[in-house]
Amino acid sequence: MTANGLSQITLYFVVLLLLAKPLGAYMAAVYENRPLLLKRILGPLEAGFYRLSGVNPEQEMGWKNYAAALLWFNLFGGLAVFALQMLQAHLPLNPQQMANVTVDSAFNTAVSFATNTNWQGYSGEATMSYLTQMLGLSVQNFVSAATGMAVLVAMIRGFQRTHADGIGNFWADLTRGTLYILLPLSFLLALVLVGQGVVQTFKPYRTIPLVEQVSTATEKTTQTLAVGPAASQIAIKQLGTNGGGFFNANSAHPFENPTPLANFLEMLGILLIPAALCHTFGTMVGDPRQGWAILAAMTLVLVSLLFVTVGYEQGGNPALTALGVEQSVSVGQSGGNMEGKETRFGIVNSALWATATTAASNGSVNSMHDSYTPLGGMIPMWLIQLGEVIFGGVGSGLYGMLIFVLIAVFVAGLMIGRTPEYLGKKIEAFEIKMAAIVILIPAFFILGGTALAIMVEAGKSAVANPGAHGFSEILYAFSSAAGNNGSAFAGLSANSPFYNTALGITMLVGRYGIMIPVLAIAGSLAAKKTVPTTVGTLPTHTPLFVMLLIGTVVLVGALTFVPALALGPVVEHLVMNKAH
């Protein structure tokens, strides 16, 4: 680790943590429907939405009605994206005359964007029309993110309320999250990105002459540059922890990520809202220390694993060393394993993005994770497998971490022989059963899906790199789908009927199979009374509890996935070092 690299990491986390409090306080005010300047401006638009849809924002919903409204809304959103893809050849804003998407790919993409996963088995600039990118994918980027935030707010109300039947109104939470949080932030970021050179146009692709001709069977003298309304999608893909790129190379593409400032702001956007929501949580439950404790746990885990990734990538690849490739740090290069990385970003910015995007269920990339060293690439995969709770998706990361908080206080309660409590609510059998479902569902589909893929020919034939790395590619794909992340080890040819279907089902269960138990917990907690704090109550804002929470998350992740990781990246690491 160089001093320059350390300063880049420090700057990133300092800016992130400084912004967490003001944004978190603002979001708490939005969800508590307090007066705000932006509400005076956009309030009539919000009221108009309610009138058009016949929604009474003051009407409380029980957890079952809240879940039903959420599922119906997401179902229709997914169907709309599916229909756009199946009909795009006949619709406007298609200057390149893109054909209709195949059924299995359209299903996978519709599920992917509705579930905030943004897994892409296709090349965006060669598959999707401008209309599909904007009306289908970008709209889902907003509403899928707002859906995750709504579920979090419903869970927070479970801790806030006493003897209550309702946990809020889904339609109001969805509208306010989109209108007052995601839209303004995305508008500002998109403007800055356009200023940095990210493309935003409705014009057709540009054909330009090459600076140097390429000698081929037929002399090639021109190149086609894909353009389009990219900046508006890039902004929400980062802020909403969506991650789907307008172009196939995602944020490694210079039209998506052209400058160091654009790179920094896009990385900042990945973790900004998840970090700020920790303060939102503390503010809404009346004890900001609770939010800071959770944020501290998230940050400690991420920073620790970031340094592991940087260390392995900076250490280089012994296979390249044996070929005489210079991998030491010098004035002319950043050193280390630069395969699959942009020279303009180097090791540190690539590793920082890789760990942030997998910690946050974002999935966008500015380097190719498939080209990382075995253990350097294992860390992003393991961050997904921890449950996407180290920051995690907007809303989904924090409600996932709160599930681990309940497990942690339950374990602590067992150790001292006392009924566990959190924020004045007793954590009893129902909450622990639902928490167990939340933890077990992703693990079952990750390991079960990987096992199925390596047993059937359709799964094995898509692997470009047989052996331990090929196993890692499959394991990463199912981890990414179940964790609603969307990034990939790119050596897997996943745009096939088998993977499109299997991963689509995994994404659905990984999203809604978690949301429903979380809402059930919210409903159960809201109906309970608040118990007074006594000398026997476990403090949940102290450094001791932060360590207990980290231990709970890491142990669950380790016990569940270390055997599978041993078959993939660990074996590949041992083989690589033995061979060289």
Side-chain angles (χ1 to χ4, degrees), residues 57 82 310 343-344 377 407 429 466 473 511:
F82 180 81
V310 172
T343 54
R344 59 202 173 106
I407 297 293
E473 290 172 353
R511 179 72 162 176

Side-chain angles (χ1 to χ4, degrees), residues 265-281:
L265 292 176
E266 289 183 27
M267 277 199 300
L268 188 64
I270 293 173
L271 296 185
L272 180 59
I273 294 179
L277 281 171
C278 293
H279 184 63
T280 301
F281 166 71

Side-chain angles (χ1 to χ4, degrees), residues 302-378:
L302 178 57
V303 171
S304 300
L305 294 180
L306 166 61
F307 277 98
V308 174
T309 303
V310 172
Y312 278 109
E313 294 308 297
Q314 199 76 67
N317 186 333
L320 297 177
T321 302
L323 295 173
V325 176
E326 179 60 49
Q327 296 186 81
S328 59
V329 180
S330 68
V331 175
Q333 66 166 348
S334 59
N337 174 37
M338 283 297 294
E339 182 191 352
K341 300 179 180 69
E342 284 275 351
T343 54
R344 59 202 173 106
F345 301 140
I347 296 290
V348 171
N349 270 288
S350 299
L352 177 55
W353 190 302
T355 50
T357 196
T358 50
S361 83
N362 180 276
S364 66
V365 296
N366 74 346
S367 61
M368 299 301 106
H369 299 180
D370 194 45
S371 297
Y372 278 45
T373 60
L375 297 188
M378 182 186 74

